[in-house]
Amino acid sequence: QQQVKQSPQSLIVQKGGIPIINCAYENTAFDYFPWYQQFPGKGPALLIAIRPDVSEKKEGRFTISFNKSAKQFSLHIMDSQPGDSATYFCAAVADKLIFGTGTRLQVFP
Amino acid sequence: DVKVTQSSRYLVKRTGEKVFLECVQDMDHENMFWYRQDPGLGLRLIYFSYDVKMKEKGDIPEGYSVSREKKERFSLILESASTNQTSMYLCASSSGAFDTQYFGPGTRLTVL
């Protein structure tokens, strides 16, 4: 119930591609869904977040799509760049912050 | 900018040793957290604190304890380190309990 399932575990794309990372949850009490980005040797940092009353949110090249009925949300990275290579964590908040298991993204030139 | 610093980037200890991991934040945040990060398991909450001298168990508190004597400092203690505690340890802080968490760079602990 408290889990957030994230897939895929790793993803390799070429520059300019659109990697998509998917997350699913069961607990309908979750009311805030942040994504964190972690570069090698650094701690995670908030990238973008969405609330369930919105179906999509864009910030620059990063877009969250949210499907409340399916209890799924996803991160799309438009025109991906080698500098986007990082580990991405989805998360959900109810009475605490629950992280997904992470996706390691590699973008090759 | 929020800054969260951790005392060591890399640490190597022997089984049975007592290990202290220190975390300091400079933004006067009420809440502080300790996570461990393992491949395929994501970030798992060990302990958190919402005020000085207050602590709450997270999802995997066994084998760990914490101390928060000052608002800006949160310590993670491994009373008797074991090899299964080899991991990356991340400290975070936030203003509100469910607000954005700001992470330190992590301490990679190896227990031999």
Side-chain angles (χ1 to χ4, degrees):
Chain A
Q1 271 277 334
Q2 285 285 63
Q3 279 188 324
V4 178
K5 294 183 180 178
Q6 182 172 350
S7 63
Q9 190 168 359
S10 64
L11 195 49
I12 300 173
V13 300
Q14 286 231 281
K15 178 183 173 181
I18 306 176
I20 301 172
I21 303 169
N22 300 297
C23 289
Y25 63 97
E26 290 294 325
N27 187 355
T28 55
F30 289 140
D31 60 2
Y32 184 62
F33 300 87
W35 286 85
Y36 282 77
Q37 179 188 52
Q38 183 182 27
F39 292 108
K42 304 280 188 183
L46 180 67
L47 177 65
I48 185 173
I50 196 168
R51 293 201 182 274
D53 54 347
V54 175
S55 62
E56 185 177 276
K57 184 172 182 180
K58 286 185 183 179
E59 285 187 7
R61 295 183 294 104
F62 298 90
T63 300
I64 301 176
S65 298
F66 191 88
N67 186 330
K68 189 174 181 179
S69 60
K71 289 185 276 188
Q72 295 175 347
F73 58 110
S74 58
L75 177 71
H76 302 232
I77 306 175
M78 305 301 178
D79 187 27
S80 60
Q81 302 295 312
D84 297 329
S85 297
T87 299
Y88 293 82
F89 293 95
C90 63
V93 178
D95 58 347
K96 59 180 178 179
L97 180 63
I98 306 291
F99 283 95
T101 50
T103 297
R104 186 180 175 213
L105 171 66
Q106 294 175 272
V107 182
F108 286 97
Chain B
D1 272 358
V2 177
K3 193 161 185 185
V4 179
T5 57
Q6 296 184 229
S7 51
S8 306
R9 295 300 303 272
Y10 299 94
L11 210 51
V12 179
K13 295 291 182 181
R14 298 221 172 261
T15 301
E17 281 193 82
K18 191 169 186 176
V19 182
F20 292 88
L21 302 182
E22 299 263 296
C23 175
V24 178
Q25 51 95 3
D26 67 356
M27 280 303 290
D28 202 36
H29 281 170
E30 303 290 335
N31 302 278
M32 296 188 74
F33 308 83
W34 274 106
Y35 295 88
R36 64 177 282 176
Q37 179 177 8
D38 300 287
L41 297 177
L43 298 165
R44 293 181 292 167
L45 182 64
I46 304 171
Y47 267 96
F48 66 99
S49 168
Y50 53 88
D51 201 352
V52 175
K53 295 193 185 294
M54 305 303 287
K55 61 185 179 185
E56 293 285 343
K57 292 180 180 179
D59 299 317
I60 51 164
E62 296 78 19
Y64 304 95
S65 61
V66 290
S67 172
R68 194 165 179 202
E69 296 296 318
K70 293 185 177 181
K71 190 175 185 180
E72 68 272 16
R73 191 179 297 268
F74 192 34
S75 302
L76 180 70
I77 303 155
L78 288 66
E79 293 289 341
S80 177
S82 63
T83 55
N84 63 12
Q85 293 178 309
T86 290
S87 186
M88 171 69 83
Y89 289 89
L90 290 161
C91 175
S93 72
S94 69
S95 178
F98 310 121
D99 287 351
T100 300
Q101 293 189 14
Y102 296 87
F103 284 83
T107 296
R108 183 164 294 281
L109 172 67
T110 302
V111 182
L112 302 175

